[in-house]
Amino acid sequence: MRARADVVGSLLRPPGLAAARKQLEHGEINPVELKRIEDRAIDAAVTMEEEAGLDVVTDGEFRRYAFFGHLVEALDGFDKLGGWAIPFHDESGEELVFKRPVVVDKLRWRRSLCGEEWTYLRARTHRVGKVTLVSAQQAAAYYDPEKSKGAYKTRDAYLEDIVDISRREVEELVRLGCTYIQVDAPQYAALLDQKMREGYRQRGSDPEALIDRCIELDNAIIAGHPGVTFGLHICRGNNQSKFYAEGDYQPISRIFQKTLFQRFLLEYDDDRSGGFEPLRQVPEDRTVVLGLVTTKKGRLEKAEELKRRIEEASQYVDLERLALSPQCGFASTIEGNRITPDEQWRKLELVGGVARSVWGRS
């Protein structure tokens, strides 16, 4: 796949869509009305992405309350807000504590995680459509030794079901004609951040063993689907313009060689991401999508600045194996990052324009 102008996944929710989800929760509208509002919002999002010049489009994750919402809402067994909280912060020190879901009952399949998302998107664009899933290791964070033990005695037993469910979902998406599936794996960021790595050690876990386990789980989910492009997205946290980790990719760089992903969508919008040197380890048959445009701040990057950084990266990965995207979604949760819709539009348009300038039309 030669798509040069990519997008990670989520887009800012239109105010009417966010309000409609609350109305549904309060019984003020019915599910059919919510679907109509979602449909209209997705139609507008697809048009925006196409007009911005993107080669890849998503539905903005508008049918989810968070980037992992497809997992929690499609399966029985999760307590939506009962998990342990994770702190996010920004450069000023302002902190946000985000509650995660937690598995409390044996997982039971209610519906396809993404089938509705994909079939609706498929019918509304002739460009490459992409569906996003969360990695098994991200889902591992939704296991609590105390709260989950009644359903699964061990985290590994829970992950066996997660892998089976995720692989079943991949097979369904492929059957429905999806050719680009992205796995979101921000949990890798905890394994590249030196402070968080030390925290794992103090809790009795070996970060190196965890990296190998992540690779094993990812490969188990995506293996065996020729003709389908699988992308791995890694960021250092993205919640209302805040993050939770920092550090370059060197500590986890063996994922480039040992996973089966063909595209690596990597956060590279500021100094927290380090340099391009770890990209030396990306095999020659893989593509790196440089996330050079931030979704956390409204400041618009300059086109020449992006071209210069693409040229720097091409010292480690051939230019023909590079692409461009924002560094993450614009709204990993329904609240969205602290930027405006107009700023979002200009950033997407910048990605499309710079990609055409550097690589020509795909």
Side-chain angles (χ1 to χ4, degrees), residues 98-157:
F98 180 72
K99 286 189 174 182
R100 286 173 159 174
V102 61
V103 61
V104 293
D105 287 310
K106 187 81 170 175
L107 295 180
R108 294 179 300 279
W109 183 275
R110 185 189 306 152
R111 59 171 171 81
S112 169
L113 279 62
C114 310
E116 177 189 10
E117 295 177 357
W118 165 245
T119 53
Y120 191 85
L121 178 64
R122 180 189 66 189
R124 274 150 183 83
T125 185
H126 294 293
R127 301 196 186 178
V128 176
K130 175 163 65 175
V131 172
T132 60
L133 300 171
V134 294
S135 68
Q137 194 60 29
Q138 178 65 28
Y142 311 150
Y143 181 90
D144 181 277
E146 290 301 316
K147 295 180 179 179
S148 305
K149 65 182 180 181
Y152 296 95
K153 291 184 179 179
T154 66
R155 181 177 275 105
D156 282 344

Short mmCIF file of all heavy atoms in Angstrom, two decimals, residues 98-157:
data_model
loop_
_atom_site.label_atom_id
_atom_site.label_comp_id
_atom_site.label_asym_id
_atom_site.label_seq_id
_atom_site.Cartn_x
_atom_site.Cartn_y
_atom_site.Cartn_z
N PHE A 98 -7.60 9.51 34.51
CA PHE A 98 -8.56 8.88 33.62
C PHE A 98 -8.86 7.47 34.10
O PHE A 98 -7.95 6.66 34.28
CB PHE A 98 -7.99 8.84 32.20
CG PHE A 98 -8.90 8.20 31.19
CD1 PHE A 98 -10.04 8.86 30.76
CD2 PHE A 98 -8.61 6.96 30.66
CE1 PHE A 98 -10.89 8.27 29.82
CE2 PHE A 98 -9.44 6.36 29.73
CZ PHE A 98 -10.58 7.03 29.31
N LYS A 99 -10.13 7.17 34.32
CA LYS A 99 -10.53 5.84 34.78
C LYS A 99 -10.69 4.89 33.61
O LYS A 99 -11.35 5.20 32.62
CB LYS A 99 -11.85 5.93 35.57
CG LYS A 99 -11.69 6.52 36.96
CD LYS A 99 -12.97 6.37 37.75
CE LYS A 99 -12.79 6.83 39.18
NZ LYS A 99 -14.03 6.65 39.99
N ARG A 100 -10.09 3.73 33.76
CA ARG A 100 -10.16 2.71 32.72
C ARG A 100 -11.27 1.72 33.03
O ARG A 100 -11.72 1.61 34.17
CB ARG A 100 -8.84 1.96 32.64
CG ARG A 100 -7.70 2.74 32.00
CD ARG A 100 -6.40 1.99 32.12
NE ARG A 100 -5.41 2.42 31.15
CZ ARG A 100 -4.17 2.00 31.14
NH1 ARG A 100 -3.73 1.14 32.03
NH2 ARG A 100 -3.32 2.44 30.21
N PRO A 101 -11.68 0.96 32.02
CA PRO A 101 -12.60 -0.15 32.29
C PRO A 101 -11.87 -1.29 32.99
O PRO A 101 -10.64 -1.31 33.06
CB PRO A 101 -13.07 -0.56 30.89
CG PRO A 101 -11.99 -0.10 29.97
CD PRO A 101 -11.36 1.11 30.59
N VAL A 102 -12.63 -2.23 33.49
CA VAL A 102 -12.04 -3.42 34.11
C VAL A 102 -12.94 -4.61 33.81
O VAL A 102 -14.17 -4.49 33.77
CB VAL A 102 -11.88 -3.23 35.64
CG1 VAL A 102 -13.23 -3.00 36.32
CG2 VAL A 102 -11.17 -4.42 36.27
N VAL A 103 -12.33 -5.76 33.53
CA VAL A 103 -13.11 -6.95 33.26
C VAL A 103 -13.56 -7.55 34.59
O VAL A 103 -12.76 -7.73 35.52
CB VAL A 103 -12.31 -7.98 32.43
CG1 VAL A 103 -11.05 -8.44 33.14
CG2 VAL A 103 -13.19 -9.15 32.03
N VAL A 104 -14.85 -7.84 34.71
CA VAL A 104 -15.41 -8.36 35.96
C VAL A 104 -16.21 -9.64 35.75
O VAL A 104 -16.55 -10.33 36.71
CB VAL A 104 -16.30 -7.30 36.66
CG1 VAL A 104 -15.46 -6.12 37.14
CG2 VAL A 104 -17.41 -6.82 35.73
N ASP A 105 -16.51 -9.97 34.49
CA ASP A 105 -17.22 -11.21 34.17
C ASP A 105 -16.56 -11.84 32.95
O ASP A 105 -15.84 -11.17 32.20
CB ASP A 105 -18.70 -10.95 33.86
CG ASP A 105 -19.50 -10.62 35.10
OD1 ASP A 105 -19.40 -11.38 36.08
OD2 ASP A 105 -20.21 -9.59 35.09
N LYS A 106 -16.80 -13.11 32.75
CA LYS A 106 -16.30 -13.79 31.57
C LYS A 106 -16.77 -13.04 30.33
O LYS A 106 -17.95 -12.70 30.21
CB LYS A 106 -16.83 -15.23 31.55
CG LYS A 106 -16.25 -16.10 30.46
CD LYS A 106 -14.90 -16.65 30.84
CE LYS A 106 -14.45 -17.71 29.85
NZ LYS A 106 -13.08 -18.18 30.13
N LEU A 107 -15.86 -12.76 29.41
CA LEU A 107 -16.23 -12.02 28.21
C LEU A 107 -17.17 -12.83 27.35
O LEU A 107 -16.97 -14.01 27.10
CB LEU A 107 -14.97 -11.65 27.42
CG LEU A 107 -14.00 -10.69 28.10
CD1 LEU A 107 -12.81 -10.43 27.20
CD2 LEU A 107 -14.69 -9.37 28.48
N ARG A 108 -18.21 -12.14 26.86
CA ARG A 108 -19.20 -12.77 25.99
C ARG A 108 -19.43 -11.88 24.78
O ARG A 108 -19.64 -10.67 24.92
CB ARG A 108 -20.52 -13.01 26.74
CG ARG A 108 -20.42 -14.03 27.86
CD ARG A 108 -21.74 -14.21 28.58
NE ARG A 108 -22.21 -12.95 29.17
CZ ARG A 108 -21.77 -12.46 30.33
NH1 ARG A 108 -20.86 -13.13 31.03
NH2 ARG A 108 -22.24 -11.32 30.79
N TRP A 109 -19.41 -12.48 23.62
CA TRP A 109 -19.57 -11.76 22.36
C TRP A 109 -21.01 -11.28 22.21
O TRP A 109 -21.95 -12.05 22.25
CB TRP A 109 -19.22 -12.71 21.22
CG TRP A 109 -19.26 -12.14 19.84
CD1 TRP A 109 -20.36 -12.02 19.04
CD2 TRP A 109 -18.16 -11.64 19.09
NE1 TRP A 109 -20.00 -11.47 17.83
CE2 TRP A 109 -18.66 -11.23 17.83
CE3 TRP A 109 -16.79 -11.51 19.34
CZ2 TRP A 109 -17.84 -10.70 16.84
CZ3 TRP A 109 -15.99 -10.98 18.35
CH2 TRP A 109 -16.51 -10.58 17.13
N ARG A 110 -21.19 -9.98 22.07
CA ARG A 110 -22.52 -9.41 21.87
C ARG A 110 -22.74 -9.06 20.40
O ARG A 110 -23.81 -9.29 19.85
CB ARG A 110 -22.70 -8.16 22.74
CG ARG A 110 -24.10 -7.56 22.70
CD ARG A 110 -24.16 -6.21 23.40
NE ARG A 110 -23.65 -6.28 24.76
CZ ARG A 110 -23.08 -5.25 25.40
NH1 ARG A 110 -22.91 -4.09 24.79
NH2 ARG A 110 -22.67 -5.40 26.64
N ARG A 111 -21.71 -8.48 19.79
CA ARG A 111 -21.78 -8.10 18.37
C ARG A 111 -20.36 -7.89 17.87
O ARG A 111 -19.41 -7.85 18.65
CB ARG A 111 -22.58 -6.80 18.20
CG ARG A 111 -22.00 -5.60 18.96
CD ARG A 111 -22.68 -4.31 18.58
NE ARG A 111 -22.31 -3.20 19.43
CZ ARG A 111 -21.19 -2.48 19.30
NH1 ARG A 111 -20.31 -2.78 18.36
NH2 ARG A 111 -20.94 -1.46 20.11
N SER A 112 -20.23 -7.75 16.56
CA SER A 112 -18.93 -7.44 15.99
C SER A 112 -18.41 -6.12 16.57
O SER A 112 -19.17 -5.16 16.75
CB SER A 112 -19.03 -7.31 14.47
OG SER A 112 -17.85 -6.77 13.91
N LEU A 113 -17.12 -6.08 16.84
CA LEU A 113 -16.54 -4.88 17.42
C LEU A 113 -16.59 -3.70 16.44
O LEU A 113 -16.86 -2.57 16.85
CB LEU A 113 -15.08 -5.13 17.83
CG LEU A 113 -14.81 -5.84 19.16
CD1 LEU A 113 -15.38 -7.25 19.20
CD2 LEU A 113 -13.30 -5.88 19.43
N CYS A 114 -16.30 -3.97 15.18
CA CYS A 114 -16.14 -2.89 14.19
C CYS A 114 -16.88 -3.12 12.89
O CYS A 114 -16.70 -2.34 11.95
CB CYS A 114 -14.65 -2.71 13.87
SG CYS A 114 -13.57 -2.54 15.29
N GLY A 115 -17.66 -4.17 12.79
CA GLY A 115 -18.32 -4.48 11.53
C GLY A 115 -19.21 -3.35 11.04
O GLY A 115 -19.20 -3.01 9.84
N GLU A 116 -20.00 -2.77 11.92
CA GLU A 116 -20.87 -1.66 11.53
C GLU A 116 -20.03 -0.46 11.08
O GLU A 116 -20.33 0.18 10.05
CB GLU A 116 -21.77 -1.25 12.69
CG GLU A 116 -22.65 -0.05 12.39
CD GLU A 116 -23.39 0.49 13.60
OE1 GLU A 116 -23.07 0.06 14.73
OE2 GLU A 116 -24.26 1.35 13.41
N GLU A 117 -18.97 -0.15 11.83
CA GLU A 117 -18.11 0.98 11.47
C GLU A 117 -17.56 0.80 10.06
O GLU A 117 -17.58 1.72 9.24
CB GLU A 117 -16.94 1.08 12.46
CG GLU A 117 -17.34 1.41 13.89
CD GLU A 117 -16.16 1.43 14.82
OE1 GLU A 117 -15.03 1.14 14.38
OE2 GLU A 117 -16.35 1.73 16.01
N TRP A 118 -17.06 -0.41 9.77
CA TRP A 118 -16.41 -0.63 8.49
C TRP A 118 -17.41 -0.63 7.33
O TRP A 118 -17.17 0.01 6.30
CB TRP A 118 -15.62 -1.94 8.49
CG TRP A 118 -15.25 -2.36 7.11
CD1 TRP A 118 -15.66 -3.46 6.42
CD2 TRP A 118 -14.42 -1.62 6.19
NE1 TRP A 118 -15.15 -3.48 5.16
CE2 TRP A 118 -14.38 -2.36 4.98
CE3 TRP A 118 -13.72 -0.42 6.27
CZ2 TRP A 118 -13.67 -1.93 3.86
CZ3 TRP A 118 -13.01 0.01 5.16
CH2 TRP A 118 -12.98 -0.75 3.97
N THR A 119 -18.52 -1.33 7.46
CA THR A 119 -19.44 -1.42 6.33
C THR A 119 -20.03 -0.06 5.99
O THR A 119 -20.27 0.24 4.81
CB THR A 119 -20.56 -2.44 6.59
OG1 THR A 119 -21.20 -2.14 7.85
CG2 THR A 119 -20.01 -3.85 6.65
N TYR A 120 -20.26 0.78 6.99
CA TYR A 120 -20.76 2.13 6.70
C TYR A 120 -19.68 2.95 6.00
O TYR A 120 -19.95 3.61 4.98
CB TYR A 120 -21.21 2.84 7.98
CG TYR A 120 -21.98 4.10 7.69
CD1 TYR A 120 -23.34 4.07 7.43
CD2 TYR A 120 -21.32 5.34 7.64
CE1 TYR A 120 -24.05 5.24 7.13
CE2 TYR A 120 -22.01 6.50 7.35
CZ TYR A 120 -23.37 6.45 7.10
OH TYR A 120 -24.06 7.59 6.78
N LEU A 121 -18.45 2.90 6.51
CA LEU A 121 -17.36 3.66 5.89
C LEU A 121 -17.09 3.17 4.47
O LEU A 121 -16.88 3.97 3.55
CB LEU A 121 -16.09 3.52 6.74
CG LEU A 121 -14.83 4.21 6.21
CD1 LEU A 121 -15.01 5.71 6.17
CD2 LEU A 121 -13.62 3.83 7.07
N ARG A 122 -17.10 1.87 4.28
CA ARG A 122 -16.83 1.26 2.97
C ARG A 122 -17.74 1.81 1.88
O ARG A 122 -17.32 2.01 0.74
CB ARG A 122 -17.02 -0.26 3.09
CG ARG A 122 -16.77 -1.06 1.83
CD ARG A 122 -17.20 -2.51 2.03
NE ARG A 122 -18.65 -2.62 2.23
CZ ARG A 122 -19.27 -3.73 2.60
NH1 ARG A 122 -18.58 -4.84 2.82
NH2 ARG A 122 -20.58 -3.74 2.76
N ALA A 123 -18.98 2.09 2.26
CA ALA A 123 -19.96 2.54 1.28
C ALA A 123 -19.86 4.03 0.97
O ALA A 123 -20.56 4.53 0.08
CB ALA A 123 -21.37 2.22 1.78
N ARG A 124 -18.99 4.74 1.69
CA ARG A 124 -18.96 6.20 1.55
C ARG A 124 -17.65 6.78 1.05
O ARG A 124 -17.48 7.99 1.03
CB ARG A 124 -19.35 6.83 2.89
CG ARG A 124 -20.86 6.92 2.97
CD ARG A 124 -21.43 6.83 4.33
NE ARG A 124 -22.90 6.88 4.20
CZ ARG A 124 -23.66 5.81 3.91
NH1 ARG A 124 -23.10 4.63 3.73
NH2 ARG A 124 -24.97 5.93 3.80
N THR A 125 -16.73 5.94 0.65
CA THR A 125 -15.49 6.46 0.10
C THR A 125 -14.89 5.47 -0.89
O THR A 125 -15.09 4.26 -0.75
CB THR A 125 -14.47 6.76 1.21
OG1 THR A 125 -13.31 7.36 0.64
CG2 THR A 125 -14.07 5.48 1.96
N HIS A 126 -14.19 6.01 -1.88
CA HIS A 126 -13.45 5.17 -2.81
C HIS A 126 -11.97 5.14 -2.44
O HIS A 126 -11.18 4.47 -3.11
CB HIS A 126 -13.62 5.68 -4.24
CG HIS A 126 -15.03 5.55 -4.75
ND1 HIS A 126 -15.62 4.32 -4.98
CD2 HIS A 126 -15.96 6.47 -5.06
CE1 HIS A 126 -16.86 4.49 -5.42
NE2 HIS A 126 -17.10 5.79 -5.47
N ARG A 127 -11.61 5.87 -1.39
CA ARG A 127 -10.22 5.85 -0.94
C ARG A 127 -10.01 4.69 0.03
O ARG A 127 -10.94 3.98 0.39
CB ARG A 127 -9.87 7.18 -0.29
CG ARG A 127 -10.06 8.34 -1.27
CD ARG A 127 -9.41 9.61 -0.87
NE ARG A 127 -9.79 10.66 -1.80
CZ ARG A 127 -9.41 11.91 -1.70
NH1 ARG A 127 -8.62 12.28 -0.69
NH2 ARG A 127 -9.81 12.82 -2.59
N VAL A 128 -8.79 4.51 0.44
CA VAL A 128 -8.49 3.43 1.39
C VAL A 128 -9.16 3.75 2.72
O VAL A 128 -8.93 4.80 3.32
CB VAL A 128 -6.97 3.29 1.59
CG1 VAL A 128 -6.68 2.22 2.65
CG2 VAL A 128 -6.28 2.95 0.27
N GLY A 129 -10.00 2.84 3.18
CA GLY A 129 -10.63 3.00 4.48
C GLY A 129 -9.88 2.19 5.53
O GLY A 129 -9.36 1.12 5.23
N LYS A 130 -9.84 2.72 6.72
CA LYS A 130 -9.09 2.05 7.79
C LYS A 130 -9.98 1.86 9.02
O LYS A 130 -10.78 2.72 9.36
CB LYS A 130 -7.86 2.88 8.18
CG LYS A 130 -7.09 2.31 9.37
CD LYS A 130 -5.69 2.89 9.48
CE LYS A 130 -5.65 4.35 9.76
NZ LYS A 130 -4.27 4.83 9.97
N VAL A 131 -9.79 0.70 9.67
CA VAL A 131 -10.46 0.40 10.93
C VAL A 131 -9.39 0.24 12.01
O VAL A 131 -8.31 -0.30 11.75
CB VAL A 131 -11.31 -0.88 10.82
CG1 VAL A 131 -11.84 -1.30 12.19
CG2 VAL A 131 -12.46 -0.68 9.85
N THR A 132 -9.69 0.72 13.21
CA THR A 132 -8.72 0.63 14.30
C THR A 132 -9.20 -0.34 15.38
O THR A 132 -10.38 -0.36 15.73
CB THR A 132 -8.48 2.01 14.94
OG1 THR A 132 -9.72 2.52 15.46
CG2 THR A 132 -7.95 2.99 13.92
N LEU A 133 -8.27 -1.14 15.88
CA LEU A 133 -8.49 -2.05 17.00
C LEU A 133 -7.48 -1.73 18.10
O LEU A 133 -6.42 -1.18 17.82
CB LEU A 133 -8.30 -3.50 16.57
CG LEU A 133 -9.19 -4.06 15.47
CD1 LEU A 133 -8.67 -5.44 15.04
CD2 LEU A 133 -10.62 -4.17 15.95
N VAL A 134 -7.77 -2.12 19.33
CA VAL A 134 -6.76 -1.99 20.38
C VAL A 134 -5.96 -3.28 20.47
O VAL A 134 -6.47 -4.37 20.20
CB VAL A 134 -7.36 -1.64 21.76
CG1 VAL A 134 -7.98 -0.27 21.74
CG2 VAL A 134 -8.35 -2.69 22.22
N SER A 135 -4.71 -3.15 20.87
CA SER A 135 -3.85 -4.32 21.01
C SER A 135 -4.26 -5.14 22.22
O SER A 135 -4.90 -4.63 23.16
CB SER A 135 -2.39 -3.88 21.17
OG SER A 135 -2.20 -3.23 22.41
N ALA A 136 -3.88 -6.39 22.22
CA ALA A 136 -4.17 -7.25 23.37
C ALA A 136 -3.48 -6.73 24.62
O ALA A 136 -4.04 -6.79 25.72
CB ALA A 136 -3.72 -8.69 23.07
N GLN A 137 -2.27 -6.20 24.47
CA GLN A 137 -1.55 -5.71 25.64
C GLN A 137 -2.21 -4.45 26.20
O GLN A 137 -2.14 -4.20 27.40
CB GLN A 137 -0.07 -5.43 25.30
CG GLN A 137 0.82 -5.24 26.50
CD GLN A 137 0.85 -6.46 27.42
OE1 GLN A 137 0.67 -7.59 26.98
NE2 GLN A 137 1.07 -6.24 28.71
N GLN A 138 -2.86 -3.66 25.33
CA GLN A 138 -3.64 -2.53 25.85
C GLN A 138 -4.84 -3.06 26.64
O GLN A 138 -5.15 -2.57 27.73
CB GLN A 138 -4.13 -1.65 24.71
CG GLN A 138 -5.00 -0.47 25.14
CD GLN A 138 -4.26 0.54 25.98
OE1 GLN A 138 -3.04 0.67 25.85
NE2 GLN A 138 -4.96 1.24 26.84
N ALA A 139 -5.48 -4.08 26.11
CA ALA A 139 -6.62 -4.68 26.82
C ALA A 139 -6.17 -5.32 28.13
O ALA A 139 -6.97 -5.44 29.08
CB ALA A 139 -7.30 -5.72 25.94
N ALA A 140 -4.90 -5.72 28.21
CA ALA A 140 -4.39 -6.30 29.44
C ALA A 140 -4.49 -5.33 30.62
O ALA A 140 -4.61 -5.74 31.78
CB ALA A 140 -2.93 -6.74 29.26
N ALA A 141 -4.45 -4.03 30.29
CA ALA A 141 -4.56 -3.02 31.35
C ALA A 141 -5.93 -3.01 31.99
O ALA A 141 -6.12 -2.39 33.04
CB ALA A 141 -4.24 -1.64 30.77
N TYR A 142 -6.90 -3.70 31.37
CA TYR A 142 -8.26 -3.73 31.91
C TYR A 142 -8.47 -4.96 32.80
O TYR A 142 -9.62 -5.30 33.12
CB TYR A 142 -9.27 -3.71 30.77
CG TYR A 142 -9.01 -2.62 29.75
CD1 TYR A 142 -9.36 -2.78 28.41
CD2 TYR A 142 -8.37 -1.43 30.11
CE1 TYR A 142 -9.10 -1.80 27.47
CE2 TYR A 142 -8.09 -0.45 29.18
CZ TYR A 142 -8.45 -0.63 27.86
OH TYR A 142 -8.19 0.34 26.93
N TYR A 143 -7.39 -5.60 33.19
CA TYR A 143 -7.45 -6.71 34.14
C TYR A 143 -6.94 -6.24 35.49
O TYR A 143 -5.87 -5.61 35.58
CB TYR A 143 -6.60 -7.89 33.66
CG TYR A 143 -6.63 -9.09 34.59
CD1 TYR A 143 -7.59 -10.09 34.43
CD2 TYR A 143 -5.71 -9.21 35.64
CE1 TYR A 143 -7.63 -11.18 35.28
CE2 TYR A 143 -5.74 -10.30 36.49
CZ TYR A 143 -6.71 -11.28 36.33
OH TYR A 143 -6.74 -12.36 37.19
N ASP A 144 -7.68 -6.52 36.54
CA ASP A 144 -7.28 -6.18 37.90
C ASP A 144 -7.23 -7.46 38.73
O ASP A 144 -8.21 -8.22 38.74
CB ASP A 144 -8.29 -5.21 38.52
CG ASP A 144 -7.92 -4.80 39.93
OD1 ASP A 144 -8.24 -5.57 40.87
OD2 ASP A 144 -7.32 -3.74 40.10
N PRO A 145 -6.12 -7.76 39.40
CA PRO A 145 -5.99 -9.03 40.12
C PRO A 145 -7.11 -9.30 41.12
O PRO A 145 -7.48 -10.46 41.34
CB PRO A 145 -4.63 -8.89 40.82
CG PRO A 145 -3.86 -7.94 39.97
CD PRO A 145 -4.87 -6.97 39.45
N GLU A 146 -7.66 -8.25 41.71
CA GLU A 146 -8.73 -8.44 42.68
C GLU A 146 -10.11 -8.41 42.01
O GLU A 146 -10.91 -9.32 42.17
CB GLU A 146 -8.65 -7.37 43.77
CG GLU A 146 -7.46 -7.54 44.69
CD GLU A 146 -7.47 -8.90 45.40
OE1 GLU A 146 -8.55 -9.32 45.87
OE2 GLU A 146 -6.40 -9.53 45.48
N LYS A 147 -10.37 -7.37 41.25
CA LYS A 147 -11.70 -7.20 40.67
C LYS A 147 -12.01 -8.21 39.57
O LYS A 147 -13.17 -8.50 39.29
CB LYS A 147 -11.85 -5.78 40.12
CG LYS A 147 -11.81 -4.70 41.20
CD LYS A 147 -11.95 -3.31 40.58
CE LYS A 147 -11.93 -2.23 41.65
NZ LYS A 147 -12.05 -0.87 41.07
N SER A 148 -10.97 -8.74 38.91
CA SER A 148 -11.17 -9.61 37.75
C SER A 148 -11.06 -11.10 38.07
O SER A 148 -11.40 -11.93 37.23
CB SER A 148 -10.16 -9.25 36.65
OG SER A 148 -10.21 -7.90 36.31
N LYS A 149 -10.56 -11.43 39.25
CA LYS A 149 -10.24 -12.83 39.53
C LYS A 149 -11.45 -13.74 39.55
O LYS A 149 -11.33 -14.96 39.32
CB LYS A 149 -9.46 -12.96 40.83
CG LYS A 149 -10.23 -12.56 42.09
CD LYS A 149 -9.34 -12.67 43.32
CE LYS A 149 -10.09 -12.29 44.60
NZ LYS A 149 -9.19 -12.37 45.79
N GLY A 150 -12.65 -13.18 39.79
CA GLY A 150 -13.85 -14.00 39.75
C GLY A 150 -14.19 -14.45 38.34
O GLY A 150 -14.83 -15.49 38.14
N ALA A 151 -13.75 -13.68 37.35
CA ALA A 151 -14.00 -14.02 35.95
C ALA A 151 -12.83 -14.79 35.35
O ALA A 151 -13.02 -15.76 34.63
CB ALA A 151 -14.25 -12.74 35.15
N TYR A 152 -11.61 -14.35 35.66
CA TYR A 152 -10.39 -14.97 35.14
C TYR A 152 -9.37 -15.03 36.28
O TYR A 152 -9.01 -14.00 36.84
CB TYR A 152 -9.81 -14.16 33.98
CG TYR A 152 -10.70 -14.08 32.76
CD1 TYR A 152 -11.56 -13.00 32.56
CD2 TYR A 152 -10.68 -15.10 31.80
CE1 TYR A 152 -12.38 -12.94 31.45
CE2 TYR A 152 -11.49 -15.03 30.68
CZ TYR A 152 -12.35 -13.96 30.52
OH TYR A 152 -13.15 -13.90 29.41
N LYS A 153 -8.91 -16.22 36.57
CA LYS A 153 -7.98 -16.37 37.69
C LYS A 153 -6.65 -15.69 37.42
O LYS A 153 -5.96 -15.25 38.34
CB LYS A 153 -7.76 -17.86 37.99
CG LYS A 153 -8.99 -18.54 38.57
CD LYS A 153 -8.68 -20.00 38.93
CE LYS A 153 -9.91 -20.66 39.55
NZ LYS A 153 -9.66 -22.08 39.90
N THR A 154 -6.28 -15.59 36.13
CA THR A 154 -5.01 -14.97 35.77
C THR A 154 -5.20 -14.01 34.60
O THR A 154 -6.16 -14.14 33.83
CB THR A 154 -3.95 -16.02 35.37
OG1 THR A 154 -4.38 -16.65 34.14
CG2 THR A 154 -3.77 -17.06 36.45
N ARG A 155 -4.28 -13.07 34.47
CA ARG A 155 -4.30 -12.16 33.33
C ARG A 155 -4.12 -12.93 32.02
O ARG A 155 -4.74 -12.61 31.01
CB ARG A 155 -3.21 -11.10 33.49
CG ARG A 155 -3.18 -10.09 32.34
CD ARG A 155 -2.13 -9.01 32.55
NE ARG A 155 -2.66 -7.92 33.37
CZ ARG A 155 -2.36 -7.71 34.63
NH1 ARG A 155 -1.54 -8.53 35.26
NH2 ARG A 155 -2.86 -6.69 35.31
N ASP A 156 -3.29 -13.96 32.03
CA ASP A 156 -3.06 -14.73 30.82
C ASP A 156 -4.33 -15.43 30.34
O ASP A 156 -4.58 -15.53 29.14
CB ASP A 156 -1.95 -15.77 31.04
CG ASP A 156 -0.56 -15.15 30.98
OD1 ASP A 156 -0.44 -14.01 30.48
OD2 ASP A 156 0.39 -15.80 31.43
N ALA A 157 -5.14 -15.91 31.29
CA ALA A 157 -6.40 -16.56 30.90
C ALA A 157 -7.33 -15.55 30.23
O ALA A 157 -8.00 -15.86 29.23
CB ALA A 157 -7.07 -17.16 32.13
#
